[in-house]
Amino acid sequence: MSATDDPDLLSASRPAGPAPVSPWLENWRYFAGNRGALIGLVVFLLTVLIAIFAPLIAPHDPAQQFRDALLAPPFWVEGAKPGFLLGTDALGRDILSRLIFGARYSLMIGLVVVTLALVTGIVVGLVAGYFGGWVDALIMRIMDIILAFPSLLLALVLVAIIGPGLFNAMLAIAVVLQPHFARLTRGAVMAEKNREYVMAARVAGAANLRLMFRTILPNCLGPLIVQATLSFSNAILEAAALGFLGMGAQPPTPEWGTMLAEAREFIQSAWWVVTMPGLAILITVLAINLIGDGLRDTLDPKLKRS
Amino acid sequence: MALLEVRNLSVSFETAAGRFFAVQGIDLSVDRGEVLAIVGESGSGKSVAMLAVMGLLPPTATVTADALRFEGRDLLAMSARERRGMSGSEMAMIFQEPVASLNPCFTVGFQIEETLERHTDLDRAARRARAVELLAAVGIPEPEERLRSFPHQMSGGQCQRVMIAIATACNPKLLIADEPTTALDVTIQKQILDLLLRLQAEHGMGLVLITHDMGVVAETADRVIVQYNGRKMEDTDVLSLFERPQNPYTRALLSALPENARGGRLPTVSDFAPGGAA
Amino acid sequence: MLRFILHRLLLIVPTFIGITLVAFVFIRLLPGDPVLLMAGERAVSPERHAELMAQFGFDQPLWRQYVEYTGGLLHGDFGYSFSSKRPVLSEFMARFPATLELAFCAMLLATVLGIAAGILAALRRGSWVDQLTMGTALVGYSMPIFWWALLLIILFSTNLGWTPVSGRISLTQFFPTVTGFMLIDSLLAGKPAAFWSAVQHLILPTIVLATIPLAVVARQTRSAMLEVLGELYVTTARSKGLAPRRIIWLHALRNALIPVVTTIGLQVSVLMGGAILTETIFSWPGIGKWMIDSISRRDYQVVQGGLLLIAAMVMLVNLTVDILYGLINPRVRYR
């Protein structure tokens, strides 16, 4: 068939496009097309469910000490005691139950730290980017100073000042992670501030506050969501590290990092006491990072090439 | 025998939504010393067809043709190595974005001499001399100094001149120019086109000029191919194209020139399209 | 280029002043009496208390204290360790080579292996090689390294007996300290057995410390490489008929390395954080372990001085990387 003879060519080859789908649905489809991200999401949701229903799922009280079953190995190892699937620790506490309750701490740490860091970071970044000038210079220098310290070191020192403990550890980590949000927001605001739609809103009489939060902020949401996900996993890792160093959650809290610190001396004799909490941290953090990667690919238009 | 002969060329890509045909059944031929213009809207498959001729498409593309011959040699039957031997020496291509076409990490001189090193036996000094000569030929002042410049230190027009110098370094028989002036200022566009035509005439090159500018077509081309949606609509000499366009799409395209605007709105192709909304 | 360097130098001055402020404020933010705090459990007589208050300058107004503090810094006076009575700076210098040796080996491993893995994954995009490499990188990136260290110790030290559990070198090896780097000093002394011992001690800490930077570098190299391979100048290079090898290793890699260098620089800070954990677990006598020990000993002058020195070092490295970035990126070098 010769193409030139086709009288209907133009109309036929220009069909009405598919009905426009909402951006959320489109993003979801793209995200769900990423197998790793989907696996991460499922694992993460499972962790959330485990954390919520911990008292129902856990076979034992996480603090209960079974004196007749000290350092019992997990079920597949010879010498395992029935009822302790993943074995017990040196005080005879059920490791599985402690891990299940530990999920509550890790998720809470992630949530609290990210909320704190996100909210302050956004406010600080918006103010710096929107007002510019010396306000911007001052704020950004402060952020530079925070970022000049290795984050774990700064968190350690902050905790040393305000005293060890889970809450203080979360506070310290939030302080350390917050500049990333501030920088991101500021950068986005600087880029968006002089765009036409912001001008239009300004001309229409929108006030500063309204401009910042209702007009500019929604347009830099994508990178912030990605950063929030990465910070979530970072927060869990750093809190666990602080717990491991004895500066985070204190024993007998079943926080995973703290559990590892208690288990250190049994490294030669009872590997499961050491292995299990770390595995729990790794799986949770890995799941969140998989989600983060998926979100980045979905929300970053530069990467989205079909 | 035509310099370049293409029969029933199709290029398709595998996408998530199924197989997508960027080019469907194109025929064309270019003779030595001939200027062929390929016209069409963005996304009509002009560039893809020429990238296929050069063998520059990514591995995800599937290229099929009844014939794809350069000086009678079957390009599809050649090994990748043989085609690399030809490209840059016997056939060359320049692109729409001159600044992005040049590697920002290397000097202009390095990038010209690299082609010479690949395809000629010239020694270092001779390559340098030839590079100076080439830069002078494309109208860049102080060519010796300019060899040491990086692309970001030059304007878009100068970068395109450098690209032309690279493309013509080994006196190719065929030069494909993919919208070579689109990204440039209007005043520069004319200079670059004149340069291309002068070099084409001097060396007797076949020149394929991809464009969407009917004015450029009228000024430069011997023959014109109009392409739409991956297919060829029209293949004719320039005079007949403007006087007696055969295909309804070509007529629509010509009517959509800004000169023909009446009323408050620029006409678009679909206004004239048969069976369209007009 | 000179202007670029000067600009960078100017930019870090306020940050540096800020860091001294943070270190200065830190010790004064501690709740309670500073001298009693440092004394800890030990009893301090009222006379000794007043003496110490005067010695540390706590009886002066705050601004005065800061001026004296920064003045002291300029003379290399970072305070005295409460527990060892030695100057903080000399304690730092004594431990720094250990950390530097470890960090250098880790960075070398992370850079070489990371770049190679990233290139491989980018070139085989979508293949099982790519998926395996990037899957491993994501696991490494998500790794709680203190746990990873314990796992490696269980496997290689406890079960296989291949590597020692802690320290820098076997206690039976003696040789004079010249550079402070065990690898170099043992060779200078002509003791291959000592060198081998040092290598064995280095292996596990290096792997642990390199894990996260390695993952980050591999991921960054892959994405930079993929982005660059899609650039038009790569198509130009192909249109010149260049060999694929030359296009990948010269045209693409040269451009892809520019963002990777920045990434590597940023990892130095991560590395110092990791060194705290790694050195604690492997009893590595470097500044990371020194800091942890000082925090638990409440030796706050050391914590203050160490904080400042580490931050200054990280800043210096970042400055070097910034300048290096300018050197390899012609768009910066030639305005």
Side-chain angles (χ1 to χ4, degrees), chain B residues 101 103 111 114 118-119 152, chain C residues 236 240-241 246 251 255 334:
Chain B
S101 301
N103 194 323
Q111 299 188 54
E114 184 181 44
R118 168 72 178 84
H119 296 291
H152 70 273
Chain C
T236 304
K240 290 165 154 183
R246 185 177 170 94
H251 285 263
N255 283 281
Y334 304 95

Side-chain angles (χ1 to χ4, degrees), chain A residues 1 3-4 9-11 13-14, chain B residues 41 228-229 233 247 273-275:
Chain A
M1 182 191 78
T4 30
L9 185 85
L10 290 170
S11 50
S13 58
R14 282 219 172 140
Chain B
E41 299 170 56
Y228 176 74
N229 227 353
M233 299 285 112
N247 184 278

Side-chain angles (χ1 to χ4, degrees), chain B:
Chain B
M1 185 178 58
L3 178 64
L4 176 69
E5 188 193 355
V6 177
R7 258 192 295 125
N8 197 22
L9 171 73
S10 294
V11 180
S12 59
F13 294 90
E14 206 63 68
T15 69
R19 185 160 284 272
F20 164 73
F21 276 88
V23 177
Q24 256 175 317
I26 291 279
D27 299 308
L28 63 84
S29 71
V30 185
D31 284 326
R32 287 172 188 79
E34 184 186 37
V35 180
L36 172 73
I38 304 182
V39 202
E41 299 170 56
S42 319
S44 59
K46 304 166 293 189
S47 306
V48 175
M50 285 305 114
L51 287 169
V53 169
M54 289 290 292
L56 294 177
L57 288 170
T60 48
T62 313
V63 179
T64 59
D66 293 347
L68 187 58
R69 276 193 278 267
F70 186 78
E71 293 191 305
R73 287 172 285 170
D74 186 354
L75 294 174
L76 289 178
M78 281 184 188
S79 70
R81 178 182 279 270
E82 282 174 290
R83 290 197 76 173
R84 283 205 299 275
M86 293 176 65
S87 111
S89 63
E90 296 184 64
M91 45 167 57
M93 187 162 179
I94 63 173
F95 306 96
Q96 186 171 347
E97 299 287 342
V99 182
S101 301
L102 293 169
N103 194 323
C105 281
F106 299 103
T107 61
V108 162
F110 177 88
Q111 299 188 54
I112 299 174
E113 286 163 36
E114 184 181 44
T115 303
L116 294 168
E117 188 184 358
R118 168 72 178 84
H119 296 291
T120 67
D121 298 327
L122 299 175
D123 65 12
R124 224 189 150 89
R127 287 202 297 268
R128 168 118 319 193
R130 172 79 176 130
V132 173
E133 190 184 305
L134 282 163
L135 276 191
V138 296
I140 288 192
E142 299 177 337
E144 280 100 358
E145 277 91 88
R146 282 321 225 167
L147 283 182
R148 285 192 296 274
S149 298
F150 285 91
H152 70 273
Q153 296 168 305
M154 307 181 108
S155 67
Q158 282 178 317
C159 283
Q160 195 61 293
R161 288 176 197 269
V162 171
M163 276 302 289
I164 295 171
I166 292 173
T168 54
C170 305
N171 292 321
K173 294 166 184 148
L174 176 69
L175 176 61
I176 299 169
D178 183 1
E179 308 217 16
T181 57
T182 309
L184 303 175
D185 286 349
V186 184
T187 46
I188 311 291
Q189 290 187 358
K190 175 94 171 91
Q191 297 174 8
I192 296 288
L193 272 179
D194 288 348
L195 172 65
L196 277 173
L197 288 172
R198 200 190 79 222
L199 291 170
Q200 181 268 334
E202 278 173 13
H203 300 287
M205 283 188 294
L207 176 63
V208 176
L209 191 65
I210 301 173
T211 180
H212 56 241
D213 187 336
M214 280 298 187
V216 169
V217 173
E219 277 178 56
T220 58
D222 301 321
R223 264 185 329 113
V224 186
I225 286 176
V226 178
Q227 185 149 343
Y228 176 74
N229 227 353
R231 301 183 197 201
K232 186 162 82 169
M233 299 285 112
E234 183 126 11
D235 184 349
T236 177
D237 64 276
V238 165
L239 283 180
S240 347
L241 178 87
F242 286 95
E243 283 169 11
R244 297 180 300 279
Q246 298 296 304
N247 184 278
Y249 175 74
T250 315
R251 284 199 290 274
L253 200 61
L254 287 172
S255 316
L257 289 176
E259 294 91 291
N260 299 338
R262 276 178 217 95
R265 190 174 74 89
L266 287 175
T268 69
V269 167
S270 44
D271 294 342
F272 305 94

Side-chain angles (χ1 to χ4, degrees), chain C residues 68-85:
Chain C
E68 278 182 10
Y69 173 64
T70 45
L73 292 182
L74 290 178
H75 294 104
D77 175 14
F78 288 77
Y80 283 82
S81 160
F82 206 83
S83 50
S84 75
K85 316 283 186 231

Side-chain angles (χ1 to χ4, degrees), chain C residues 110-256:
Chain C
T111 308
V112 172
L113 209 59
I115 289 179
I119 293 175
L120 188 72
L123 294 182
R124 300 266 179 282
R125 183 184 195 174
S127 72
W128 66 268
V129 180
D130 180 21
Q131 293 187 353
L132 185 73
T133 319
M134 286 305 112
T136 314
L138 193 67
V139 173
Y141 181 65
S142 311
M143 188 66 81
I145 59 166
F146 44 99
W147 175 68
W148 177 226
L150 296 177
L151 276 193
L152 290 175
I153 291 177
I154 290 180
L155 183 61
F156 291 105
S157 303
T158 312
N159 286 347
L160 296 171
W162 289 356
T163 52
V165 183
S166 67
R168 285 181 82 188
I169 197 154
S170 159
L171 290 173
T172 56
Q173 301 290 347
F174 290 103
F175 47 83
T177 302
V178 183
T179 57
F181 303 107
M182 292 285 175
L183 292 179
I184 300 175
D185 285 352
S186 59
L187 285 181
L188 285 179
K191 293 196 169 170
F195 178 75
W196 179 235
S197 169
V199 169
Q200 279 184 317
H201 281 83
L202 252 174
I203 290 175
L204 289 191
T206 301
I207 292 175
V208 169
L209 194 53
T211 300
I212 287 178
L214 171 60
V216 173
V217 170
R219 282 158 59 93
Q220 171 72 52
T221 306
R222 176 182 180 270
S223 74
M225 201 67 189
L226 283 180
E227 190 168 334
V228 165
L229 285 175
E231 294 284 347
L232 191 53
Y233 54 77
V234 170
T235 308
T236 304
R238 290 174 62 212
S239 82
K240 290 165 154 183
L242 301 177
R245 230 178 320 128
R246 185 177 170 94
I247 295 172
I248 289 162
W249 294 101
L250 191 73
H251 285 263
L253 189 59
R254 183 69 218 280
N255 283 281

Side-chain angles (χ1 to χ4, degrees), chain A residues 26-274:
Chain A
E26 194 196 328
N27 279 340
W28 164 249
R29 280 187 189 153
Y30 191 89
F31 181 85
N34 181 337
R35 198 156 33 109
L38 219 51
I39 294 173
L41 188 64
V42 170
V43 172
F44 180 70
L45 289 179
L46 269 176
T47 319
V48 172
L49 287 179
I50 288 174
I52 294 175
F53 297 109
L56 299 178
I57 303 168
H60 302 285
D61 185 294
Q64 194 183 348
Q65 302 179 359
F66 296 89
R67 289 290 172 184
D68 51 344
L70 303 182
L71 290 175
F75 71 91
W76 64 89
V77 178
E78 199 151 337
K81 292 260 190 323
F84 305 109
L85 272 183
L86 298 181
T88 58
D89 64 11
L91 296 176
R93 295 173 296 194
D94 180 41
I95 292 181
L96 179 63
S97 305
R98 291 179 67 73
L99 289 182
I100 289 174
F101 275 88
R104 297 186 144 189
Y105 289 95
S106 282
L107 293 181
M108 181 191 67
I109 290 165
L111 200 67
V112 172
V113 168
V114 168
T115 312
L116 279 175
L118 189 74
V119 171
T120 49
I122 286 179
V123 170
V124 166
L126 274 176
V127 169
Y130 190 82
F131 291 105
W134 67 268
V135 179
D136 177 38
L138 181 70
I139 290 179
M140 290 333 281
R141 281 297 83 72
I142 296 176
M143 298 302 133
D144 281 353
I145 291 165
I146 297 178
L147 288 174
F149 295 98
S151 60
L152 184 64
L153 179 64
L154 189 58
L156 261 175
V157 170
L158 285 176
V159 173
I161 299 174
I162 51 184
L166 186 57
F167 181 74
N168 288 350
M170 292 195 290
L171 216 60
I173 298 168
V175 169
V176 174
L177 289 179
Q178 167 270 341
H180 296 283
F181 293 100
R183 278 193 164 182
L184 214 58
T185 313
R186 172 186 176 264
V189 172
M190 301 283 265
E192 300 286 332
K193 165 161 96 160
N194 296 318
R195 301 274 283 273
E196 275 90 354
Y197 73 92
V198 179
M199 294 289 190
R202 193 195 299 271
V203 170
N208 277 347
L209 262 184
R210 190 188 161 79
L211 261 178
M212 280 196 281
F213 284 96
R214 297 297 301 274
T215 312
I216 297 180
L217 189 59
N219 284 289
C220 35
L221 224 49
L224 281 174
I225 292 175
V226 175
Q227 182 65 42
T229 320
L230 293 179
S231 296
F232 201 104
S233 56
N234 258 335
I236 293 179
L237 275 182
E238 301 237 318
L242 286 178
F244 180 75
L245 292 170
M247 304 299 274
Q250 299 297 310
T253 315
E255 194 271 325
W256 294 337
T258 313
M259 284 172 74
L260 267 173
E262 293 178 80
R264 245 185 99 185
E265 51 184 301
F266 303 103
I267 184 169
Q268 314 259 1
S269 50
W271 55 266
W272 57 91
V273 195
V274 180

